[in-house]
Amino acid sequence: MVSGKRWLSMLFVLFVLTAGRVLDPLTPSTVFGGSIVGSRHDLKSDWEKGSVLMKESLNNYGEVCVYCHTPHGGDESLGPLWNRDYTPASFNVYTSPTMDTTAAGIPGAVSLACLSCHDGTIAVDSIINAPGSGPNLTGPWYGQGAATYHFAMKEGANACGECHVGSPAHDARHTYLTTDLSDDHPISMPYPSPSEDPQFNTPPDAMKGWGGASPGDVKLYAGKVECPSCHNVHDPDVVPFLRKANTGSALCYTCHIK
Amino acid sequence: MKRALLVLTAVLLSVGVAYAAEDVRNTKHNLSSTGSLSPYLTTTTDEVCVFCHTPHFASIAEAPLWNRTEPTGPYNMYSSATIDMTIAGSPQGVSLACLSCHDGTVAFDSLVNEPGSGLDTIGTWSWNNNGNIMTSSTSPSAMIGTDLTNDHPISITYDTTKDPQFRAPVNNRIAVNGTNVTLPLYGSNKDQVECGSCHNPHEKDVATFLRVANTGSQLCLACHIK
Amino acid sequence: MRPLIISMVVAALVPLFAAAAGAGVVNTVHNLSTTGPGAIKATEEAEICIFCHVPHNANPAVPLWNHDMSGAAYTMYDSEYLKRAGYPTPSELGAAPAEPGFVSRLCLSCHDGTVAVGALYIVRGTILGDSIIAMTGVEPTGEMPATAAGYIGTDLTRHHPVGIKYDSSIAVTFGSAGSGVNPRPIELHASPAAPLKVYAYATGNYVECASCHDAHVENEKFLRVTTGANLAAKIDTTCNSCHSKIDWNGSIHSTSTASYTDSNVLDTFGTGAVASLACMNCHRTHRGGGVPYLLRQPEENTCFQGAAGSAAGGPCHGTGAAGGGKDIETVITRTYSHPTTGISGVHTNLDVLYPEGGTPPGSKGLVWDTSKHAECVDCHNPHRAAQGTHAPSGQWYPSLPAATTNTVSNALKGVTGVEPEWPSAGIQPVNFTTLESASKEYQICLKCHSYYALGVASDGVTSYPTLSDPTINFTDQAWEFNPNNLSVHPVVVTLNSQTGSYAPQALTSSQLSPPWTAPGNQTMYCSDCHGAENETTQDPKGPHGSSYEFMLKGTGRYWPTKPDGSLWLLNTTDASDPDLFCRNCHPIYDGSWKNNVHSQQGGMGGGGGGGGGMGRHRNRPCVNCHVAVPHGSRRSRLIGYASDPSPYNYNGNSLKPVGFAKASGPFNYDDRNCSFPMGVCHGPQTPPPGGYDP
């Protein structure tokens, strides 16, 4: 039984070994792409780069992966070794008269993982297992004191959106998906077969899509479209965390015949 | 050889009227640097879908993941003494999406999420001489404007009980006789005629983006019993 | 192999053509595309709707119009009837969607022949500008040829009005100032029956081409009414969807089983029956030959030949008609007739309301001097007339005339008339009440034969010569038939109701022949004396025309002269002559005389006479004592005085008496009843106690 901290250390080593970029996380990779380290998904890095107010807004756990993952005691119903203290909200899902398939009323686990931050219902630092041994939600935190506030991704006061409106910090409002997903690309719906909707390309693998083992192309999850079908949460190289460049809308055209 | 051609003809006739050919990249609706057919072209991005669609924070309800600033009109709706069905007071979702370019009030680059990480990441776009907004001088026929009184009614509730001179929809769609094309109705009750009922903005082969060529006015006659 | 391939091709093609099966406009001449069935069609353009409609940038916008509009100035339908009724007449067809007539102008963008059929605004996103769609069957410059069936042109006076308001509330007021009004509605339903429709504009509902026609419907003449056994039935339903002609149902023209023989009529309407053709017997909705009122032919010619190409092709009222209708043309063109065929363009509907002319300015009224006329519709209402006259077939007179026998017959139903206000005897009636529908025949006759048309007539005589004898002027029949006169033929009231007449008011029954066996309690028609010479055989009844002066009818048709021109005399020979007009009803001498004046059996001069009238009156002309126009007189028993003017006084000098008093019975006369100047007849007399008639 390794502690969460030690597990994370091992993972960190793995990144270093495979990408060799830990010291220069912003340099694009030629193999698997960039690293989460130093990206906007690296909340530790965000905290460290942030303003005084930023440091008051979320806990710095001193680790990168811990904001999402834990080696033990995670909630697998939400995602792989998922460490976020999250009870899915009720979502308003996308519907369209032009759609021939139907989005699930509750997003699938793979997408819920993303939504555990991006729906704005819980603080970005609301995790199950803090660094150290087991649940530790009261601090003191690794290397630092507890933040005064615990901001969630949403607009307005006492939320990330208090600052992230373009000034003083970059505008992050477009990443606050909220629980209203009706204005977002549908997720968690089966990828349509040609008979269901001939205006979709047929993936090479009906269950896994185009990406297969590679993170560099569109993936399906058990034959369904989920947030990570397009996004690679760990790779910031193709803004915004896309699996591949959308040159000529290539990402869109992977699926859509339009 | 002649026989083979005949067979081929037969096949084409039976399936050639099947699904319209969609590839928006090869249409006037490709405004990106990869486009060539539109009178309005930008050099700022090579993304095609982005002029209409975004995966997140879509703007116009009912329109599919719309990426364009919602136009505010106001619109003059079509009215006629001969109309028995009900026309909404303003264009609804799907049609409003089309009007977000075709009414000439919203610039092509007035998007919810610009290419890249979204929002206003680009600043000033670069367009060809025809500019970044639809004008009637450049597009005398495609420019709809906000005066819809001379355009086929949209956001009209398709109710054949009010006017028996219309064909009843089947499964909320209206079949184009002699083809396998069906025309969609929109709205929460799937009974609204919108721009998309006749047009497929991704269609590359049929003039004016119609869902099916209007030979013999078959598109008109799909609905109208005339 | 080949058949299989062909069948495959055919099978593949079927769905394409299935689109046309059962469709509406596709199968009509309004499909102007290459697939159209008509002579006018495109040589290349395959779209159908495009010739009229475009979904975007339509011009005009409603109804998404795509055809170049006509800027023509149209000559609009007009009629005095509409103006006199106060019905808004159509003004120029609107050029904007909000203006009445606009819907019709859309149709006329092809049908007026001024715009090329292929002149479209926009095709598949391309604005055509000056170029046009190539068409066949059109003029070299592209317009609809004037020979095309659908050609309307710019003169709309011969077409059913369009751009005209639909207003059923308007009524024509009859009556007279101060009297109760007697309105005639405009004879429209409150609103058109479906499937006809009116078009709403700000100023009300209007009739447009599309009220009757649906340009898209696969139906004869593009009529909205698609149900009916044939075109005639569809048109009948169409007309009656708006028009509600009073008493049309049951009228002879709506029920007659007579049939046209003209093959064109049968081919056009799918039937030749008069009842089936209904409105189409007389009217055309387009290109009517008679203006206004959309008549098929000008005025009486419509009645003569109806829908047929000639009178012989139809069962109407012309010479040589196929049978069914009365041959009016033959009788009305005889020597003595009402002026119908020789006069045109004078009659206007509702002219009865305007004896002095009237609105619209310059239009004709009933002034004899300037607008003398007698069209068929002055005496007949073709929408209400039914079969039957007051005298049965084969008879000159009714079988048993009664007090109400002067009520109009079926043939005269619904005709306008005038009723005079009756002044004292000897005064010309000058006040009249106009009647929407005359109840008595004389009310129709008096429209013309009274002050109402004739104007001032001193002592009842006008300055207008009769057609029968130019030396004889027309007289005022209202003046003559005034119930306040001392003697009269009972045209207006029974003699017992003749207030101006003192007892005994009526003759005795022995002085009359059947059916006039109840004197004093019977009335009669003007047309009991005036009519056609062969009414008991082939001639239609009524005073249309005759070979005899004054259209006198009956067995005897001569008065006051014999066929040889000499005056009828009082003797047994003349009194027994079947040519003597009076003898038709009055058996003056049938072996015995019917009063002692004619026989000279009594009286102071007495003597002789006996049964042969052999007394002093023997061989005296009738007109020595009686007025030559025996309608009525200011003296009893139609006696005239020497002072009376011609034509009452034949030649102005025939009447001899200067005083007359009616005796208590036909055989109670003596010399004192009749006074003369000295040296004339039996000279001056001492009047009876009551004095002489004034």
Side-chain angles (χ1 to χ4, degrees):
Chain A
M1 190 92 182
V2 289
S3 73
K5 197 161 81 176
R6 198 176 309 151
W7 186 89
L8 285 168
S9 299
M10 291 164 62
L11 200 64
F12 194 70
V13 170
L14 182 68
F15 268 113
V16 171
L17 287 174
T18 53
R21 297 178 45 246
V22 70
L23 298 176
D24 184 13
L26 297 178
T27 302
S29 161
T30 53
V31 182
F32 285 137
S35 168
I36 189 172
V37 177
S39 76
R40 284 175 183 163
H41 280 161
D42 176 357
L43 296 188
K44 167 180 171 291
S45 164
D46 291 339
W47 190 94
E48 288 166 349
K49 288 182 291 191
S51 64
V52 173
L53 184 57
M54 177 77 172
K55 294 179 177 9
E56 291 296 308
S57 302
L58 75 162
N59 291 339
N60 179 1
Y61 295 117
E63 297 181 9
V64 179
C65 308
V66 71
Y67 289 90
C68 288
H69 300 286
T70 181
H72 304 289
D75 187 345
E76 286 299 315
S77 71
L78 295 175
L81 302 175
W82 210 246
N83 192 32
R84 295 189 53 73
D85 186 19
Y86 176 63
T87 302
S90 174
F91 292 97
N92 188 16
V93 301
Y94 182 85
T95 61
S96 165
T98 64
M99 233 172 96
D100 297 309
T101 55
T102 307
I106 298 174
V110 185
S111 294
L112 280 177
C114 307
L115 289 166
S116 65
C117 267
H118 285 273
D119 74 359
T121 59
I122 61 169
V124 296
D125 58 356
S126 175
I127 60 176
I128 298 171
N129 291 323
S133 178
N136 178 9
L137 299 177
T138 56
W141 311 113
Y142 173 80
Q144 303 292 336
T148 306
Y149 310 107
H150 304 284
F151 280 0
M153 292 181 73
K154 55 185 176 183
E155 295 188 57
N158 297 322
C160 302
E162 187 161 357
C163 292
H164 284 276
V165 293
S167 175
H170 70 91
D171 192 342
R173 287 174 293 180
H174 61 299
T175 66
Y176 309 154
L177 298 183
T178 77
T179 57
D180 180 5
L181 305 182
S182 65
D183 57 358
D184 299 297
H185 190 288
I187 50 173
S188 306
M189 72 290 190
Y191 189 85
S193 68
S195 63
E196 287 174 323
D197 191 335
Q199 292 177 284
F200 283 88
N201 289 313
T202 304
D205 184 322
M207 299 307 285
K208 294 187 174 181
W210 289 262
S214 162
D217 211 334
V218 173
K219 288 174 177 286
L220 297 178
Y221 294 84
K224 291 186 174 181
V225 177
E226 304 286 1
C227 302
S229 293
C230 296
H231 295 289
N232 182 346
V233 66
H234 300 114
D235 184 349
D237 276 4
V238 183
V239 177
F241 292 95
L242 295 181
R243 288 207 175 272
K244 66 178 181 184
N246 199 21
T247 305
S249 297
L251 186 64
C252 308
Y253 278 104
T254 303
C255 298
H256 292 279
I257 303 173
K258 289 288 183 188
Chain B
M1 186 58 193
K2 185 179 275 186
R3 290 183 181 180
L5 276 176
L6 276 174
V7 173
L8 183 61
T9 303
V11 170
L12 283 174
L13 282 172
S14 55
V15 304
V17 290
Y19 245 89
E22 288 202 352
D23 186 351
V24 75
R25 290 170 292 197
N26 292 318
T27 74
K28 287 184 175 182
H29 282 164
N30 181 357
L31 306 183
S32 78
S33 60
T34 67
S36 62
L37 299 174
S38 171
Y40 312 94
L41 292 170
T42 184
T43 55
T44 303
T45 183
D46 57 17
E47 287 195 33
V48 181
C49 310
V50 72
F51 290 95
C52 289
H53 301 292
T54 180
H56 300 295
F57 294 96
S59 57
I60 299 174
E62 293 184 45
L65 294 173
W66 212 247
N67 194 28
R68 303 190 49 72
T69 299
E70 182 168 337
T72 56
Y75 297 94
N76 292 327
M77 301 299 281
Y78 184 83
S79 70
S80 160
T82 64
I83 279 205
D84 300 311
M85 296 182 189
T86 305
I87 301 173
S90 61
Q92 300 301 297
V94 173
S95 295
L96 205 53
C98 305
L99 288 166
S100 66
C101 277
H102 286 270
D103 76 356
T105 70
V106 181
F108 300 126
D109 50 22
S110 179
L111 305 179
V112 175
N113 290 313
E114 294 187 340
S117 65
L119 294 183
D120 186 12
T121 54
I122 288 179
T124 303
W125 293 57
S126 178
W127 292 87
N128 68 4
N129 290 338
N130 288 326
N132 70 338
I133 194 163
M134 186 173 283
T135 61
S136 55
S137 56
T138 302
S139 309
S141 65
M143 172 71 174
I144 300 294
T146 56
D147 181 3
L148 309 183
T149 59
N150 62 351
D151 298 292
H152 187 286
I154 52 165
S155 303
I156 180 172
T157 303
Y158 193 81
D159 183 351
T160 56
T161 65
K162 287 192 174 179
D163 190 337
Q165 287 186 288
F166 284 86
R167 285 182 216 288
V170 175
N171 296 328
N172 304 313
R173 298 178 80 95
I174 302 153
V176 179
N177 206 352
T179 75
N180 57 5
V181 173
T182 58
L183 307 179
L185 298 171
Y186 296 94
S188 54
N189 294 327
K190 293 197 172 186
D191 59 356
Q192 298 294 303
V193 175
E194 305 288 2
C195 303
S197 296
C198 294
H199 295 288
N200 178 350
H202 306 115
E203 164 63 45
K204 77 175 170 64
D205 288 338
V206 183
T208 63
F209 293 94
L210 292 179
R211 289 194 176 273
V212 64
N214 201 21
T215 308
S217 296
Q218 59 182 354
L219 190 61
C220 309
L221 296 171
C223 295
H224 294 274
I225 300 175
K226 293 289 187 186
Chain C
M1 186 62 193
R2 184 176 295 270
L4 176 61
I5 293 169
I6 291 172
S7 64
M8 286 175 67
V9 173
V10 170
L13 286 172
V14 163
L16 290 178
F17 288 99
V25 71
V26 175
N27 297 335
T28 75
V29 294
H30 281 167
N31 175 0
L32 297 174
S33 77
T34 52
T35 61
I40 300 176
K41 59 199 283 190
T43 55
E44 291 180 14
E45 177 57 51
E47 288 195 32
I48 299 166
C49 309
I50 195 77
F51 286 90
C52 290
H53 301 291
V54 70
H56 297 296
N57 298 307
N59 182 28
V62 177
L64 297 174
W65 204 246
N66 195 37
H67 198 272
D68 285 2
M69 290 296 285
S70 168
Y74 297 102
T75 307
M76 303 301 290
Y77 181 88
D78 197 6
S79 85
E80 295 85 356
Y81 179 80
L82 293 179
K83 288 175 178 168
R84 288 172 165 169
Y87 200 98
T89 52
S91 52
E92 180 64 276
L93 297 179
E99 297 169 2
F102 171 75
V103 171
S104 297
R105 193 176 272 270
L106 295 174
C107 306
L108 288 166
S109 68
C110 272
H111 287 270
D112 78 358
T114 70
V115 181
V117 176
L120 308 185
Y121 175 50
I122 193 166
V123 174
R124 286 179 292 283
T126 301
I127 295 173
L128 293 189
D130 290 334
S131 63
I132 61 176
I133 302 295
M135 309 289 295
T136 59
V138 295
E139 296 286 347
T141 45
E143 296 86 1
M144 177 184 281
T147 53
Y151 179 83
I152 299 290
T154 59
D155 179 3
L156 306 184
T157 60
R158 293 170 184 272
H159 301 270
H160 188 287
V162 292
I164 187 171
K165 193 173 184 179
Y166 191 94
D167 188 348
S168 62
S169 70
I170 288 172
V172 183
T173 300
F174 288 81
S176 62
S179 76
V181 295
N182 182 9
R184 172 188 284 185
I186 204 68
E187 295 180 300
L188 290 172
H189 293 298
S191 59
L196 271 71
K197 57 199 295 186
V198 286
Y199 291 83
Y201 296 91
T203 49
N205 292 330
Y206 283 75
V207 175
E208 304 280 14
C209 303
S211 293
C212 298
H213 300 290
D214 179 346
H216 310 100
V217 69
E218 185 182 351
N219 189 28
E220 291 159 295
K221 311 294 183 191
F222 291 97
L223 288 175
R224 284 191 178 277
V225 174
T226 56
T227 54
N230 45 44
L231 179 60
K234 292 172 181 175
I235 295 176
D236 188 20
T237 304
T238 298
C239 299
N240 286 303
S241 297
C242 293
H243 293 279
S244 173
K245 303 301 284 186
I246 294 169
D247 287 345
W248 166 250
N249 292 327
S251 74
I252 184 60
H253 289 144
S254 76
T255 56
S256 173
T257 56
S259 185
Y260 288 87
T261 55
D262 186 330
S263 60
N264 283 338
V265 174
L266 276 67
D267 291 346
T268 301
F269 294 103
T271 174
V274 168
S276 298
L277 261 64
C279 309
M280 288 294 106
N281 283 296
C282 301
H283 297 285
R284 294 186 70 169
T285 40
H286 294 289
R287 297 197 265 193
V291 174
Y293 314 130
L294 302 175
L295 294 175
R296 289 195 162 271
Q297 307 290 338
E299 299 182 341
E300 70 277 359
N301 294 303
T302 298
C303 306
F304 293 160
Q305 67 185 74
S310 68
C316 299
H317 305 294
T319 301
K326 305 294 186 189
D327 177 2
I328 303 298
E329 185 178 9
T330 296
V331 296
I332 211 164
T333 51
R334 286 177 180 158
T335 307
Y336 307 104
S337 66
H338 272 105
T340 304
T341 57
I343 291 175
S344 292
V346 178
H347 169 81
T348 54
N349 282 0
L350 298 181
D351 55 10
V352 64
L353 296 177
Y354 297 92
E356 303 294 337
T359 58
S363 62
K364 300 293 189 182
L366 288 182
V367 177
W368 195 287
D369 193 26
T370 57
S371 54
K372 183 177 67 177
H373 69 277
E375 298 298 341
C376 304
V377 290
D378 282 304
C379 298
H380 298 284
N381 184 337
H383 300 114
R384 301 195 210 177
Q387 196 165 25
T389 54
H390 76 298
S393 175
Q395 295 181 195
W396 292 108
Y397 312 110
S399 296
L400 185 58
T404 57
T405 297
N406 60 355
T407 303
V408 291
S409 63
N410 282 342
L412 299 176
K413 276 180 67 177
V415 180
T416 59
V418 294
E419 172 68 18
E421 289 178 20
W422 301 108
S424 302
I427 297 176
Q428 186 181 24
V430 294
N431 294 315
F432 295 82
T433 299
T434 52
L435 304 169
E436 184 274 332
S437 185
S439 60
K440 309 289 176 60
E441 187 203 54
Y442 72 85
Q443 293 167 336
I444 299 170
C445 304
L446 290 185
K447 287 195 291 186
C448 293
H449 291 279
S450 73
Y451 172 87
Y452 202 71
L454 292 165
V456 174
S458 173
D459 284 333
V461 183
T462 73
S463 58
Y464 304 121
T466 61
L467 300 177
S468 295
D469 183 343
T471 68
I472 296 175
N473 287 347
F474 275 102
T475 57
D476 182 333
Q477 263 99 79
W479 188 90
E480 294 161 349
F481 286 108
N482 187 344
N484 295 321
N485 282 344
L486 272 71
S487 64
V488 74
H489 272 97
V491 166
V492 177
V493 294
T494 64
L495 288 174
N496 288 343
S497 300
Q498 181 74 16
T499 54
S501 173
Y502 53 90
Q505 290 169 303
L507 298 178
T508 62
S509 59
S510 65
Q511 291 174 290
L512 286 156
S513 304
W516 313 103
T517 53
N521 294 311
Q522 292 174 315
T523 55
M524 60 185 292
Y525 265 45
C526 301
S527 58
D528 283 332
C529 291
H530 302 283
E533 62 259 38
N534 299 315
E535 283 189 11
T536 54
T537 52
Q538 75 268 28
D539 283 350
K541 290 184 165 61
H544 301 106
S546 172
S547 304
Y548 296 86
E549 286 187 354
F550 310 113
M551 289 192 271
L552 295 180
K553 78 166 200 182
T555 305
R557 295 183 283 264
Y558 290 92
W559 173 262
T561 54
K562 305 177 191 178
D564 66 5
S566 63
L567 289 167
W568 291 108
L569 305 178
L570 184 64
N571 58 50
T572 56
T573 305
D574 285 5
S576 303
D577 191 329
D579 279 335
L580 174 58
F581 175 68
C582 304
R583 193 178 170 276
N584 292 336
C585 298
H586 297 284
I588 300 166
Y589 178 79
D590 58 1
S592 66
W593 296 96
K594 305 306 175 188
N595 67 43
N596 66 343
V597 178
H598 291 162
S599 69
Q600 279 303 311
Q601 286 175 322
M604 293 174 71
M614 305 300 286
R616 283 173 294 173
H617 294 154
R618 184 167 183 248
N619 289 334
R620 288 292 183 181
C622 302
V623 293
N624 272 176
C625 294
H626 290 291
V627 289
V629 183
H631 296 139
S633 172
R634 284 176 287 169
R635 291 101 207 178
S636 300
R637 300 296 184 232
L638 300 178
I639 297 297
Y641 285 176
S643 58
D644 286 350
S646 175
Y648 302 112
N649 190 349
Y650 183 76
N651 272 347
N653 56 10
S654 298
L655 289 170
K656 302 306 180 188
V658 295
F660 177 76
K662 184 162 58 179
S664 59
F667 291 98
N668 298 339
Y669 286 92
D670 60 33
D671 281 359
R672 290 173 301 175
N673 287 97
C674 207
S675 181
F676 300 90
M678 188 63 69
V680 177
C681 298
H682 37 94
Q685 301 288 325
T686 302
Y692 293 124
D693 296 346

